[in-house]
Amino acid sequence: NIKEIGPGVEPLASKMAGADSDDSLYPIAVLIDELRNEDVQLRLNSIKKLSTIALALGVERTRTELLPFLTDTIYDEDEVLLALAEQLGNFTMLVGGPEYVHCLLPPLESLATVEETVVRDKAVESLRKISHEHSPVDLEVHFEPLVKRLASGDWFTSRTSACGLFSVCYPRVSSTVKAEIRQHFRTLCSDDTPMVRRAAASKLGEFAKVLELEYVKSDIISLFTALASDEQDSVRLLAVEAGVSIATLLPQEDLEALVMPTLRQAAEDKSWRVRYMVADKFSDLQKAVGPEITKNDLVPAFQNLLKDCEAEVRAAAANKVKEFCENLPEDSRETIIMTHILPCVKELVSDTNQHVKSALASVIMGLSTILGKDNTIEHLLPLFLAQLKDECPEVRLNIISNLDCVNEVIGIRQLSQSLLPAIVELAEDAKWRVRLAIIEYMPLLAGQLGVEFFDEKLNSLCMAWLVDHVYAIREAATCNLMKLVEKFGAEWAQNTIVPKVLGMANDPNYLHRMTTLFCINALSEVCGQEITTKHMLPVVFKMSNDQVANVRFNVAKSLQKIGPVLDSNCLQTEVKPVLEKLASDQDMDVKYFAQEAISVLSLA
Amino acid sequence: METPTKLPPSSPSSPTTGFSVPSAEKVDGFPRRSMRRARQRRSHSSSQFRYQSSQVELTPLPLLKDAPVAELHDLFCKKLQQCCVLFDFLDCVADLKGKEIKRAALNELVESVATSRGVLIEPLYPEAIKMISVNIFRTLPPSENPEFDPEEDEPALEASWPHLQLVYEFFLRFLESPDFQPSLAKRYVDQKFVLQLLELFDSEDPREREYLKTILHRVYGKLLGLRAYIRKQINNIFLRFIYETERFNGVAELLEILGSIINGFALPLKSEHKQFLVRVLIPLHTAKSLSIFHAQLAYCVVQFMEKDATVTEHIIRGLLRYWPKTCTQKEVMFLGEIEEILDVIEPSQFIRVQEPLFKQIAACISSPHFQVAERALYFWNNEYILSLIEENCQVILPLVFGTLYRVSKEHWNQTIISLIYNVLKTFMEMNSKLFDDLTASYKVEKQKELKKEKERVELWRNLEDLQEQRLQSLTEASRNQKNLQERENTTKSQSETSAANTT
């Protein structure tokens, strides 16, 4: 009863009792109490439902009471602030639409200055979002001044946040304000703290995109050059990415003079982090600068990166080999690859670092489509074969997983002699994850090698995995069988794998007996009604008498699973009695699953 | 003027063993990661070697001790230049002769700077600093192990250490030489030099960091003009560590230097220093790898308090804000630091923070992890803390009583229960009247809490109903508006057509 709640809360309770939708129902104080709850979790829940509170208050009071409260008094755990920053990005309708969206700026401004990066980033994200909802006038009157305040804040956090906001307001303000924005951005690019320079460098490309071309040439280039020779490598490496964006904006004739000197320097930077970044962005860079510069500058630069003294850089470059070659200008592609790239690739095949080799292995097969049959056989095939014998399983796996590219060009037979030992070795690898990976490629391999080769060489491996001591492998092996049957057909299944699978039903190890059931589950549908009824079902029935309860309840589960494949007569006359018997089993799990099967198959 | 005090004595020439101290409590029955990852380690490259284009053949120079006084400086200079040649240490058999010549030359230089007077004359400064820069400044190689865990894994050791160590030793002796003149050195040991020196603190090799620590401390002590700059750059490194990368190997070493710097701060504290405490030192507590540098960090924090008691509230509230939510190991560290702080807290400051503090302590006592609960309950064994509690019993007891009462009945761990009984007994003796009152009202309070909770649920249920209604009416309104518009449009077009008809 309401009266007993106590004097402090009575007004709320009694008002709630007569709840119809009146704004004054919920005094802001009660709601704010929720936002201030001592328990962080409850506070967090309340903040996450801030829109509910705002709806209850209505747009007017949300603007005049809730937002000022949020702006002034919230000093909270970062987790709560994060939720708040996110909420406010979707608050436009709750404060009365775009007309009033600027009311959201004060709380977001304070959130954009907090220390915790995640909160700040979220606040900036929300600010960017609502910037689009500002009218051009509001953008100049409310939004841009906020950006300026942030840009000239005392502590680095606000200046860092400002960097992300220039590009969203620049396109829609007057030219005077534009000039101011450019000036602020320039200042931040030479900020005293590396954190701010990093933020500016990471937004440089984005900012360049919204600038007029004349300012890109006059302003952005000098900023880019300065950031790319910063004393801190963490700043320089961010400038690389900006360089790529800037290059896409400039006309071809300006590239050489304005960005190439800086990019060349970055490719030879003394810090491996910067060189790594260049390698990582190489394909984008290639697209941005076009074929001529690629031929003259990027090819030698790429060769150097492939030969870099740090493995990290070599691996990043190796990852780009295929893409780089693909995007080379067609007229000189083959010559460049054969004379400049391939020699480096050959060396990487025997690199000392396994990450480099495995990065290369993941793309090298793609070269065969580019180079064509003869070159592939003469130059690439020896490399594939060497990698198939590599000591590191990941390298071999990466080669095997990309066999389809080679298959299209020269056919897989060329490789099959070397392939087999590699597959066998991976299939028996001590690490189960490696075994799992090779199983997953089996259907692909089977498709490419053909049924004869498969039966002769690989079938026994596939069966051996069924009795692996790791469950995940046995499970993957059953799934693999199903995919093989999809490829080779039911008749093949009946002749080769079904007898072996059913044979395991007599295995002394109950785990293997269960594997028979799992295989039946997987195979019944692809094998069809006849095989299922004739060959599999009798085995399942026989196993319903197994002494291990786990086997028995899996029989029930299997029957449920394969039921849809069987005809209704068989279900009624054969399956039903078995399930009924299991439903009166001593073991409660067996009973449970038997009953479940009966009801799913509607045999009750 | 601030004066750095001496660092705790630790001889950098003997590689420190203080690096990997796996905490003994972490017995979890699982094999250590480092053991599982017993793969072959390749000794580490440093990128510095690639910049030397052609390898110079070294020829041994005459010994310094045999040189006539007139030629001594010239020979010293030549040896410095000779030591600028870098060698490939990844290939351990490459150019053994050259390596040996450089090693011998470095040894001589070290000995000469350390023992003979009058060697360090002005023209040698640029040569010495150049030799040091060429050898030690390099981009540190990528970590061999991307998820390197300093507590579990063996650090990658610098391959060129046989030379590098001697270069560091030379630098240290150079700075410590009675002949060393800061006014000359500051031209060469400038901001750019210091910045590069600080970046080296990220080295995975603990031997290198140990040298860097002592060297930076000497530089800070002797080159006064660089002090503010060094502090600022250390700030930047910490902020990058906290908010950007979460990786920096030398945090503990830098904090150790700061500990002695804080000790020398002048009073009253400048706002720059307070800002450093609040915005850098306190947030450092959030780091995942706190355990590696917690001792040094707590030392710095306590130093601040001892300098100026008014920062106490900032510190405690800061720690409470960053209190670990899920990592009990860190929670125990926080409790340890709180005890260190309470050990030296002024009673007037204690009163300002006791409420939020003891709410947190109560929360720790009710932790299901017994080490956390135990660590919190140990506070009652500390006589100074006990005296503070006694003085403020009226405030503190009501804050913790409910928890103590409840946990004493339901904690799974016997030790915790007996510790709680002791604490309850202590409180009973402190203020038996209050204790009895609280015991009597415990049930009523519990009831009140339950009721409050029910009201909360009710409030939110109603709010959500209301939201539903509002949303409905909103969609209805917009639908109506749309209909209205459509109707207007149709009437308009109708009137238009009719107008057209009439014409």
Side-chain angles (χ1 to χ4, degrees), chain B residues 276-292:
Chain B
F276 168 66
L277 170 70
V278 176
R279 306 195 111 154
V280 181
L281 282 188
I282 302 293
L284 262 180
H285 287 85
T286 59
K288 209 161 56 189
S289 51
L290 178 68
S291 59
I292 297 158

mmCIF file of all heavy atoms in Angstrom, chain B residues 276-292:
data_model
loop_
_atom_site.group_PDB
_atom_site.id
_atom_site.type_symbol
_atom_site.label_atom_id
_atom_site.label_comp_id
_atom_site.label_asym_id
_atom_site.label_seq_id
_atom_site.Cartn_x
_atom_site.Cartn_y
_atom_site.Cartn_z
ATOM 1 N N PHE B 276 50.509 16.962 -12.415
ATOM 2 C CA PHE B 276 51.185 15.696 -12.703
ATOM 3 C C PHE B 276 50.632 14.582 -11.815
ATOM 4 O O PHE B 276 50.350 13.475 -12.271
ATOM 5 C CB PHE B 276 52.687 15.878 -12.485
ATOM 6 C CG PHE B 276 53.453 14.594 -12.471
ATOM 7 C CD1 PHE B 276 53.549 13.815 -13.613
ATOM 8 C CD2 PHE B 276 54.071 14.153 -11.312
ATOM 9 C CE1 PHE B 276 54.253 12.621 -13.605
ATOM 10 C CE2 PHE B 276 54.775 12.961 -11.287
ATOM 11 C CZ PHE B 276 54.864 12.193 -12.440
ATOM 12 N N LEU B 277 50.439 14.901 -10.545
ATOM 13 C CA LEU B 277 49.907 13.895 -9.629
ATOM 14 C C LEU B 277 48.509 13.448 -10.054
ATOM 15 O O LEU B 277 48.236 12.254 -10.192
ATOM 16 C CB LEU B 277 49.860 14.479 -8.209
ATOM 17 C CG LEU B 277 49.096 13.642 -7.171
ATOM 18 C CD1 LEU B 277 49.858 12.375 -6.851
ATOM 19 C CD2 LEU B 277 48.849 14.446 -5.901
ATOM 20 N N VAL B 278 47.643 14.437 -10.287
ATOM 21 C CA VAL B 278 46.234 14.113 -10.505
ATOM 22 C C VAL B 278 45.981 13.536 -11.893
ATOM 23 O O VAL B 278 45.186 12.620 -12.055
ATOM 24 C CB VAL B 278 45.371 15.379 -10.285
ATOM 25 C CG1 VAL B 278 43.913 15.095 -10.597
ATOM 26 C CG2 VAL B 278 45.522 15.847 -8.847
ATOM 27 N N ARG B 279 46.688 14.066 -12.873
ATOM 28 C CA ARG B 279 46.351 13.673 -14.244
ATOM 29 C C ARG B 279 47.266 12.608 -14.816
ATOM 30 O O ARG B 279 47.010 12.080 -15.885
ATOM 31 C CB ARG B 279 46.380 14.900 -15.160
ATOM 32 C CG ARG B 279 45.501 15.998 -14.621
ATOM 33 C CD ARG B 279 45.266 17.019 -15.694
ATOM 34 N NE ARG B 279 43.880 16.971 -16.129
ATOM 35 C CZ ARG B 279 43.244 17.993 -16.664
ATOM 36 N NH1 ARG B 279 43.867 19.115 -16.860
ATOM 37 N NH2 ARG B 279 41.986 17.877 -17.039
ATOM 38 N N VAL B 280 48.360 12.328 -14.132
ATOM 39 C CA VAL B 280 49.265 11.308 -14.667
ATOM 40 C C VAL B 280 49.472 10.154 -13.673
ATOM 41 O O VAL B 280 49.206 9.002 -13.990
ATOM 42 C CB VAL B 280 50.618 11.917 -15.074
ATOM 43 C CG1 VAL B 280 51.526 10.858 -15.648
ATOM 44 C CG2 VAL B 280 50.414 13.052 -16.071
ATOM 45 N N LEU B 281 49.925 10.515 -12.468
ATOM 46 C CA LEU B 281 50.234 9.436 -11.519
ATOM 47 C C LEU B 281 48.994 8.639 -11.128
ATOM 48 O O LEU B 281 49.014 7.407 -11.129
ATOM 49 C CB LEU B 281 50.893 9.999 -10.259
ATOM 50 C CG LEU B 281 52.374 10.368 -10.376
ATOM 51 C CD1 LEU B 281 52.928 10.723 -9.013
ATOM 52 C CD2 LEU B 281 53.193 9.242 -10.986
ATOM 53 N N ILE B 282 47.914 9.323 -10.805
ATOM 54 C CA ILE B 282 46.720 8.592 -10.378
ATOM 55 C C ILE B 282 46.168 7.737 -11.520
ATOM 56 O O ILE B 282 45.918 6.542 -11.342
ATOM 57 C CB ILE B 282 45.650 9.563 -9.813
ATOM 58 C CG1 ILE B 282 46.209 10.357 -8.629
ATOM 59 C CG2 ILE B 282 44.397 8.814 -9.397
ATOM 60 C CD1 ILE B 282 46.530 9.576 -7.398
ATOM 61 N N PRO B 283 46.014 8.311 -12.734
ATOM 62 C CA PRO B 283 45.527 7.451 -13.834
ATOM 63 C C PRO B 283 46.456 6.278 -14.167
ATOM 64 O O PRO B 283 45.998 5.290 -14.737
ATOM 65 C CB PRO B 283 45.430 8.417 -15.025
ATOM 66 C CG PRO B 283 45.229 9.760 -14.417
ATOM 67 C CD PRO B 283 46.032 9.740 -13.157
ATOM 68 N N LEU B 284 47.738 6.385 -13.820
ATOM 69 C CA LEU B 284 48.632 5.239 -14.061
ATOM 70 C C LEU B 284 48.117 3.988 -13.357
ATOM 71 O O LEU B 284 48.426 2.867 -13.751
ATOM 72 C CB LEU B 284 50.037 5.548 -13.544
ATOM 73 C CG LEU B 284 51.091 6.029 -14.538
ATOM 74 C CD1 LEU B 284 52.401 6.275 -13.821
ATOM 75 C CD2 LEU B 284 51.292 5.032 -15.654
ATOM 76 N N HIS B 285 47.330 4.183 -12.305
ATOM 77 C CA HIS B 285 46.790 3.025 -11.592
ATOM 78 C C HIS B 285 45.858 2.180 -12.442
ATOM 79 O O HIS B 285 45.541 1.067 -12.089
ATOM 80 C CB HIS B 285 46.021 3.480 -10.344
ATOM 81 C CG HIS B 285 46.922 3.960 -9.248
ATOM 82 N ND1 HIS B 285 47.399 5.237 -9.185
ATOM 83 C CD2 HIS B 285 47.437 3.316 -8.174
ATOM 84 C CE1 HIS B 285 48.166 5.375 -8.113
ATOM 85 N NE2 HIS B 285 48.205 4.223 -7.485
ATOM 86 N N THR B 286 45.381 2.735 -13.542
ATOM 87 C CA THR B 286 44.439 1.963 -14.355
ATOM 88 C C THR B 286 45.135 0.946 -15.253
ATOM 89 O O THR B 286 44.484 0.103 -15.847
ATOM 90 C CB THR B 286 43.619 2.892 -15.276
ATOM 91 O OG1 THR B 286 44.546 3.596 -16.111
ATOM 92 C CG2 THR B 286 42.802 3.876 -14.498
ATOM 93 N N ALA B 287 46.461 1.052 -15.346
ATOM 94 C CA ALA B 287 47.168 0.198 -16.316
ATOM 95 C C ALA B 287 46.989 -1.280 -15.988
ATOM 96 O O ALA B 287 46.930 -1.685 -14.835
ATOM 97 C CB ALA B 287 48.644 0.549 -16.331
ATOM 98 N N LYS B 288 46.917 -2.047 -17.050
ATOM 99 C CA LYS B 288 46.763 -3.495 -16.895
ATOM 100 C C LYS B 288 47.990 -4.095 -16.220
ATOM 101 O O LYS B 288 47.893 -5.014 -15.422
ATOM 102 C CB LYS B 288 46.583 -4.095 -18.288
ATOM 103 C CG LYS B 288 45.770 -5.331 -18.324
ATOM 104 C CD LYS B 288 45.236 -5.620 -19.719
ATOM 105 C CE LYS B 288 46.326 -5.698 -20.758
ATOM 106 N NZ LYS B 288 45.832 -5.772 -22.124
ATOM 107 N N SER B 289 49.162 -3.529 -16.548
ATOM 108 C CA SER B 289 50.410 -4.094 -16.024
ATOM 109 C C SER B 289 50.837 -3.417 -14.727
ATOM 110 O O SER B 289 52.025 -3.354 -14.425
ATOM 111 C CB SER B 289 51.499 -3.941 -17.072
ATOM 112 O OG SER B 289 51.551 -2.604 -17.530
ATOM 113 N N LEU B 290 49.889 -2.931 -13.970
ATOM 114 C CA LEU B 290 50.194 -2.188 -12.739
ATOM 115 C C LEU B 290 51.191 -2.901 -11.838
ATOM 116 O O LEU B 290 52.068 -2.284 -11.245
ATOM 117 C CB LEU B 290 48.884 -1.924 -11.973
ATOM 118 C CG LEU B 290 49.007 -1.206 -10.629
ATOM 119 C CD1 LEU B 290 49.454 0.231 -10.833
ATOM 120 C CD2 LEU B 290 47.677 -1.215 -9.880
ATOM 121 N N SER B 291 51.067 -4.229 -11.754
ATOM 122 C CA SER B 291 51.884 -4.941 -10.775
ATOM 123 C C SER B 291 53.380 -4.740 -10.997
ATOM 124 O O SER B 291 54.158 -4.832 -10.064
ATOM 125 C CB SER B 291 51.559 -6.437 -10.829
ATOM 126 O OG SER B 291 51.821 -6.922 -12.118
ATOM 127 N N ILE B 292 53.778 -4.421 -12.241
ATOM 128 C CA ILE B 292 55.201 -4.285 -12.529
ATOM 129 C C ILE B 292 55.790 -3.021 -11.914
ATOM 130 O O ILE B 292 56.957 -2.986 -11.564
ATOM 131 C CB ILE B 292 55.429 -4.282 -14.049
ATOM 132 C CG1 ILE B 292 54.981 -5.616 -14.604
ATOM 133 C CG2 ILE B 292 56.874 -4.045 -14.396
ATOM 134 C CD1 ILE B 292 54.666 -5.545 -16.051
#
